[in-house]
Short mmCIF file of all heavy atoms in Angstrom, two decimals:
data_model
loop_
_atom_site.label_atom_id
_atom_site.label_comp_id
_atom_site.label_asym_id
_atom_site.label_seq_id
_atom_site.Cartn_x
_atom_site.Cartn_y
_atom_site.Cartn_z
N GLY J 122 39.61 -148.27 -7.99
CA GLY J 122 39.16 -149.18 -9.03
C GLY J 122 39.42 -150.62 -8.68
O GLY J 122 39.46 -151.00 -7.52
N GLU J 123 39.64 -151.43 -9.72
CA GLU J 123 39.86 -152.85 -9.52
C GLU J 123 40.63 -153.41 -10.72
O GLU J 123 40.64 -152.81 -11.79
CB GLU J 123 38.52 -153.59 -9.37
CG GLU J 123 38.66 -155.04 -8.98
CD GLU J 123 37.37 -155.60 -8.39
OE1 GLU J 123 36.29 -155.06 -8.68
OE2 GLU J 123 37.46 -156.59 -7.63
N TRP J 124 41.27 -154.54 -10.52
CA TRP J 124 42.01 -155.21 -11.59
C TRP J 124 41.05 -156.05 -12.43
O TRP J 124 40.23 -156.79 -11.88
CB TRP J 124 43.11 -156.08 -11.01
CG TRP J 124 44.20 -155.30 -10.35
CD1 TRP J 124 44.27 -154.94 -9.04
CD2 TRP J 124 45.35 -154.74 -10.99
NE1 TRP J 124 45.40 -154.20 -8.81
CE2 TRP J 124 46.09 -154.05 -9.98
CE3 TRP J 124 45.84 -154.74 -12.29
CZ2 TRP J 124 47.28 -153.39 -10.25
CZ3 TRP J 124 47.03 -154.08 -12.55
CH2 TRP J 124 47.74 -153.42 -11.55
N VAL J 125 41.19 -155.93 -13.74
CA VAL J 125 40.37 -156.72 -14.66
C VAL J 125 41.29 -157.45 -15.64
O VAL J 125 42.45 -157.07 -15.83
CB VAL J 125 39.37 -155.84 -15.44
CG1 VAL J 125 38.41 -155.15 -14.48
CG2 VAL J 125 40.10 -154.81 -16.30
N ALA J 126 40.77 -158.50 -16.23
CA ALA J 126 41.59 -159.32 -17.13
C ALA J 126 42.04 -158.52 -18.35
O ALA J 126 41.34 -157.64 -18.84
CB ALA J 126 40.81 -160.55 -17.57
N ASN J 127 43.24 -158.83 -18.84
CA ASN J 127 43.82 -158.14 -19.98
C ASN J 127 44.63 -159.14 -20.81
O ASN J 127 45.76 -159.47 -20.47
CB ASN J 127 44.73 -157.00 -19.51
CG ASN J 127 45.45 -156.33 -20.66
OD1 ASN J 127 44.93 -156.26 -21.77
ND2 ASN J 127 46.65 -155.83 -20.41
N THR J 128 44.04 -159.61 -21.89
CA THR J 128 44.71 -160.63 -22.71
C THR J 128 45.82 -160.05 -23.57
O THR J 128 46.56 -160.80 -24.21
CB THR J 128 43.69 -161.32 -23.63
OG1 THR J 128 43.04 -160.33 -24.45
CG2 THR J 128 42.64 -162.05 -22.81
N GLU J 129 45.98 -158.70 -23.59
CA GLU J 129 47.02 -158.08 -24.40
C GLU J 129 48.40 -158.15 -23.74
O GLU J 129 49.42 -158.02 -24.40
CB GLU J 129 46.66 -156.61 -24.67
CG GLU J 129 45.37 -156.41 -25.45
CD GLU J 129 45.53 -156.84 -26.90
OE1 GLU J 129 46.65 -156.81 -27.42
OE2 GLU J 129 44.50 -157.22 -27.50
N GLY J 130 48.45 -158.27 -22.42
CA GLY J 130 49.72 -158.23 -21.71
C GLY J 130 50.54 -159.49 -21.90
O GLY J 130 50.03 -160.51 -22.35
N PRO J 131 51.83 -159.41 -21.54
CA PRO J 131 52.57 -158.22 -21.10
C PRO J 131 53.09 -157.43 -22.29
O PRO J 131 53.02 -157.90 -23.43
CB PRO J 131 53.73 -158.83 -20.31
CG PRO J 131 54.02 -160.10 -21.01
CD PRO J 131 52.67 -160.63 -21.46
N TYR J 132 53.67 -156.26 -22.02
CA TYR J 132 54.09 -155.35 -23.08
C TYR J 132 55.60 -155.33 -23.28
O TYR J 132 56.10 -154.58 -24.11
CB TYR J 132 53.54 -153.94 -22.79
CG TYR J 132 52.02 -153.96 -22.80
CD1 TYR J 132 51.31 -154.16 -21.62
CD2 TYR J 132 51.31 -153.86 -23.99
CE1 TYR J 132 49.93 -154.21 -21.63
CE2 TYR J 132 49.93 -153.92 -24.01
CZ TYR J 132 49.24 -154.09 -22.82
OH TYR J 132 47.87 -154.17 -22.84
N TYR J 133 56.28 -156.14 -22.51
CA TYR J 133 57.71 -156.41 -22.73
C TYR J 133 58.01 -157.70 -22.00
O TYR J 133 57.15 -158.23 -21.26
CB TYR J 133 58.60 -155.27 -22.22
CG TYR J 133 58.51 -155.04 -20.73
CD1 TYR J 133 59.37 -155.70 -19.85
CD2 TYR J 133 57.56 -154.17 -20.19
CE1 TYR J 133 59.28 -155.51 -18.47
CE2 TYR J 133 57.47 -153.98 -18.82
CZ TYR J 133 58.33 -154.66 -17.98
OH TYR J 133 58.23 -154.47 -16.62
N THR J 134 59.18 -158.27 -22.18
CA THR J 134 59.55 -159.50 -21.51
C THR J 134 60.97 -159.38 -20.97
O THR J 134 61.68 -158.40 -21.24
CB THR J 134 59.50 -160.71 -22.47
OG1 THR J 134 60.64 -160.67 -23.34
CG2 THR J 134 58.22 -160.71 -23.29
N ASN J 135 61.40 -160.40 -20.24
CA ASN J 135 62.77 -160.40 -19.75
C ASN J 135 63.78 -160.61 -20.87
O ASN J 135 64.98 -160.49 -20.65
CB ASN J 135 62.95 -161.45 -18.65
CG ASN J 135 62.72 -162.86 -19.17
OD1 ASN J 135 61.89 -163.08 -20.05
ND2 ASN J 135 63.44 -163.82 -18.62
N MET J 136 63.30 -160.93 -22.07
CA MET J 136 64.18 -161.06 -23.22
C MET J 136 64.28 -159.77 -24.03
O MET J 136 65.21 -159.60 -24.82
CB MET J 136 63.68 -162.19 -24.13
CG MET J 136 63.60 -163.55 -23.44
SD MET J 136 65.19 -164.12 -22.80
CE MET J 136 66.06 -164.41 -24.34
N THR J 137 63.35 -158.85 -23.83
CA THR J 137 63.37 -157.60 -24.60
C THR J 137 63.85 -156.42 -23.78
O THR J 137 64.12 -155.37 -24.35
CB THR J 137 61.97 -157.27 -25.16
OG1 THR J 137 61.06 -157.02 -24.06
CG2 THR J 137 61.43 -158.41 -26.01
N CYS J 138 63.92 -156.55 -22.45
CA CYS J 138 64.35 -155.44 -21.61
C CYS J 138 65.61 -155.82 -20.84
O CYS J 138 65.64 -156.84 -20.15
CB CYS J 138 63.25 -155.04 -20.62
SG CYS J 138 63.74 -153.65 -19.56
N PHE J 139 66.61 -154.97 -20.93
CA PHE J 139 67.89 -155.24 -20.29
C PHE J 139 67.96 -154.72 -18.86
O PHE J 139 68.95 -154.94 -18.17
CB PHE J 139 69.03 -154.62 -21.10
CG PHE J 139 69.05 -153.11 -21.00
CD1 PHE J 139 69.85 -152.47 -20.07
CD2 PHE J 139 68.27 -152.33 -21.84
CE1 PHE J 139 69.88 -151.09 -19.97
CE2 PHE J 139 68.28 -150.95 -21.75
CZ PHE J 139 69.09 -150.32 -20.81
N GLN J 140 66.93 -154.01 -18.39
CA GLN J 140 67.01 -153.33 -17.10
C GLN J 140 66.26 -154.07 -16.00
O GLN J 140 65.77 -153.44 -15.07
CB GLN J 140 66.46 -151.92 -17.22
CG GLN J 140 67.50 -150.82 -17.16
CD GLN J 140 68.42 -150.91 -15.96
OE1 GLN J 140 68.03 -150.69 -14.84
NE2 GLN J 140 69.68 -151.23 -16.21
N ILE J 141 66.15 -155.37 -16.10
CA ILE J 141 65.48 -156.14 -15.04
C ILE J 141 66.54 -156.70 -14.12
O ILE J 141 67.38 -157.50 -14.53
CB ILE J 141 64.62 -157.28 -15.63
CG1 ILE J 141 63.56 -156.70 -16.58
CG2 ILE J 141 63.96 -158.06 -14.51
CD1 ILE J 141 62.71 -157.76 -17.26
N GLN J 142 66.49 -156.31 -12.85
CA GLN J 142 67.45 -156.85 -11.90
C GLN J 142 67.16 -158.33 -11.64
O GLN J 142 66.03 -158.80 -11.77
CB GLN J 142 67.36 -156.07 -10.58
CG GLN J 142 68.15 -154.78 -10.59
CD GLN J 142 68.20 -154.15 -9.22
OE1 GLN J 142 67.40 -153.27 -8.94
NE2 GLN J 142 69.13 -154.58 -8.39
N GLU J 143 68.20 -159.03 -11.24
CA GLU J 143 68.08 -160.48 -11.07
C GLU J 143 66.96 -160.86 -10.11
O GLU J 143 66.18 -161.77 -10.39
CB GLU J 143 69.42 -161.06 -10.57
CG GLU J 143 70.54 -160.96 -11.60
CD GLU J 143 70.25 -161.79 -12.83
OE1 GLU J 143 70.39 -163.03 -12.76
OE2 GLU J 143 69.89 -161.21 -13.87
N HIS J 144 66.87 -160.17 -8.99
CA HIS J 144 65.89 -160.60 -7.98
C HIS J 144 64.45 -160.23 -8.37
O HIS J 144 63.51 -160.57 -7.65
CB HIS J 144 66.23 -159.99 -6.61
CG HIS J 144 66.11 -158.50 -6.53
ND1 HIS J 144 67.10 -157.66 -6.96
CD2 HIS J 144 65.12 -157.71 -6.06
CE1 HIS J 144 66.74 -156.41 -6.76
NE2 HIS J 144 65.54 -156.41 -6.23
N GLN J 145 64.27 -159.55 -9.51
CA GLN J 145 62.93 -159.25 -10.02
C GLN J 145 62.64 -159.99 -11.32
O GLN J 145 61.58 -159.83 -11.91
CB GLN J 145 62.80 -157.74 -10.26
CG GLN J 145 62.94 -156.92 -8.99
CD GLN J 145 63.40 -155.50 -9.26
OE1 GLN J 145 63.58 -155.09 -10.39
NE2 GLN J 145 63.60 -154.75 -8.19
N ASN J 146 63.60 -160.81 -11.76
CA ASN J 146 63.48 -161.49 -13.06
C ASN J 146 62.79 -162.85 -12.86
O ASN J 146 63.40 -163.91 -12.97
CB ASN J 146 64.87 -161.68 -13.67
CG ASN J 146 64.80 -161.90 -15.17
OD1 ASN J 146 63.78 -162.32 -15.70
ND2 ASN J 146 65.90 -161.62 -15.85
N CYS J 147 61.51 -162.79 -12.57
CA CYS J 147 60.77 -163.98 -12.18
C CYS J 147 60.72 -165.04 -13.28
O CYS J 147 60.75 -166.24 -13.00
CB CYS J 147 59.35 -163.59 -11.79
SG CYS J 147 59.29 -162.35 -10.46
N MET J 148 60.66 -164.61 -14.53
CA MET J 148 60.60 -165.57 -15.63
C MET J 148 61.92 -166.31 -15.81
O MET J 148 61.96 -167.51 -16.05
CB MET J 148 60.21 -164.85 -16.92
CG MET J 148 58.82 -164.24 -16.91
SD MET J 148 57.50 -165.46 -16.75
CE MET J 148 57.08 -165.26 -15.00
N LYS J 149 63.00 -165.59 -15.66
CA LYS J 149 64.32 -166.21 -15.80
C LYS J 149 64.51 -167.33 -14.79
O LYS J 149 65.09 -168.37 -15.09
CB LYS J 149 65.42 -165.16 -15.63
CG LYS J 149 66.83 -165.74 -15.62
CD LYS J 149 67.89 -164.66 -15.44
CE LYS J 149 69.29 -165.26 -15.35
NZ LYS J 149 70.34 -164.21 -15.20
N TYR J 150 64.00 -167.10 -13.57
CA TYR J 150 64.25 -168.05 -12.51
C TYR J 150 63.09 -169.02 -12.29
O TYR J 150 62.92 -169.56 -11.20
CB TYR J 150 64.60 -167.31 -11.23
CG TYR J 150 65.94 -166.63 -11.34
CD1 TYR J 150 66.04 -165.24 -11.38
CD2 TYR J 150 67.11 -167.37 -11.44
CE1 TYR J 150 67.27 -164.62 -11.51
CE2 TYR J 150 68.35 -166.75 -11.57
CZ TYR J 150 68.42 -165.39 -11.61
OH TYR J 150 69.64 -164.76 -11.74
N GLY J 151 62.28 -169.21 -13.31
CA GLY J 151 61.40 -170.35 -13.34
C GLY J 151 60.02 -170.19 -12.75
O GLY J 151 59.37 -171.20 -12.45
N ARG J 152 59.53 -168.95 -12.62
CA ARG J 152 58.16 -168.85 -12.14
C ARG J 152 57.25 -169.58 -13.13
O ARG J 152 57.23 -169.25 -14.34
CB ARG J 152 57.74 -167.39 -11.98
CG ARG J 152 56.28 -167.26 -11.55
CD ARG J 152 55.93 -165.92 -10.98
NE ARG J 152 54.50 -165.87 -10.68
CZ ARG J 152 53.91 -164.96 -9.92
NH1 ARG J 152 54.64 -164.01 -9.36
NH2 ARG J 152 52.62 -164.99 -9.70
N PRO J 153 56.46 -170.54 -12.68
CA PRO J 153 55.74 -171.41 -13.62
C PRO J 153 54.48 -170.80 -14.21
O PRO J 153 54.00 -171.23 -15.26
CB PRO J 153 55.40 -172.63 -12.77
CG PRO J 153 55.32 -172.10 -11.37
CD PRO J 153 56.35 -171.01 -11.29
N ASP J 154 53.89 -169.80 -13.55
CA ASP J 154 52.64 -169.21 -14.03
C ASP J 154 52.89 -167.86 -14.68
O ASP J 154 53.81 -167.14 -14.31
CB ASP J 154 51.65 -169.04 -12.87
CG ASP J 154 52.18 -168.09 -11.81
OD1 ASP J 154 53.27 -168.36 -11.27
OD2 ASP J 154 51.53 -167.07 -11.53
N THR J 155 52.06 -167.54 -15.66
CA THR J 155 52.15 -166.22 -16.31
C THR J 155 50.83 -165.46 -16.21
O THR J 155 50.72 -164.35 -16.73
CB THR J 155 52.51 -166.37 -17.80
OG1 THR J 155 51.55 -167.21 -18.44
CG2 THR J 155 53.90 -166.97 -17.95
N GLY J 156 49.85 -166.03 -15.54
CA GLY J 156 48.56 -165.37 -15.42
C GLY J 156 48.63 -164.03 -14.71
O GLY J 156 47.82 -163.14 -14.97
N PHE J 157 49.62 -163.85 -13.82
CA PHE J 157 49.74 -162.59 -13.09
C PHE J 157 50.09 -161.43 -14.02
O PHE J 157 49.99 -160.27 -13.63
CB PHE J 157 50.78 -162.72 -11.97
CG PHE J 157 52.21 -162.72 -12.43
CD1 PHE J 157 52.99 -161.57 -12.36
CD2 PHE J 157 52.79 -163.87 -12.94
CE1 PHE J 157 54.31 -161.58 -12.77
CE2 PHE J 157 54.11 -163.88 -13.35
CZ PHE J 157 54.87 -162.73 -13.28
N LEU J 158 50.50 -161.73 -15.25
CA LEU J 158 50.83 -160.69 -16.23
C LEU J 158 49.61 -160.22 -17.00
O LEU J 158 49.69 -159.24 -17.75
CB LEU J 158 51.87 -161.23 -17.22
CG LEU J 158 53.19 -161.70 -16.61
CD1 LEU J 158 54.04 -162.39 -17.67
CD2 LEU J 158 53.95 -160.53 -16.01
N MET J 159 48.48 -160.88 -16.84
CA MET J 159 47.33 -160.64 -17.71
C MET J 159 46.22 -159.87 -16.99
O MET J 159 45.06 -160.26 -17.00
CB MET J 159 46.78 -161.98 -18.21
CG MET J 159 47.81 -162.83 -18.92
SD MET J 159 48.55 -161.96 -20.34
CE MET J 159 49.69 -163.22 -20.92
N TRP J 160 46.61 -158.76 -16.36
CA TRP J 160 45.64 -157.91 -15.68
C TRP J 160 45.97 -156.45 -15.95
O TRP J 160 47.12 -156.09 -16.19
CB TRP J 160 45.68 -158.16 -14.17
CG TRP J 160 45.33 -159.56 -13.79
CD1 TRP J 160 46.18 -160.63 -13.69
CD2 TRP J 160 44.03 -160.06 -13.49
NE1 TRP J 160 45.49 -161.76 -13.34
CE2 TRP J 160 44.16 -161.45 -13.21
CE3 TRP J 160 42.75 -159.48 -13.43
CZ2 TRP J 160 43.07 -162.25 -12.87
CZ3 TRP J 160 41.67 -160.28 -13.09
CH2 TRP J 160 41.83 -161.64 -12.81
#
Side-chain angles (χ1 to χ4, degrees):
E123 188 161 23
W124 293 92
V125 299
N127 175 31
T128 58
E129 298 289 333
Y132 297 92
Y133 62 91
T134 76
N135 63 326
M136 301 300 292
T137 64
C138 180
F139 71 95
Q140 252 307 290
I141 301 177
Q142 278 188 263
E143 293 296 284
H144 66 278
Q145 298 155 2
N146 201 337
C147 303
M148 296 297 102
K149 174 180 176 179
Y150 292 111
R152 177 163 176 164
D154 62 302
T155 57
F157 75 100
L158 301 171
M159 305 302 180
W160 298 88

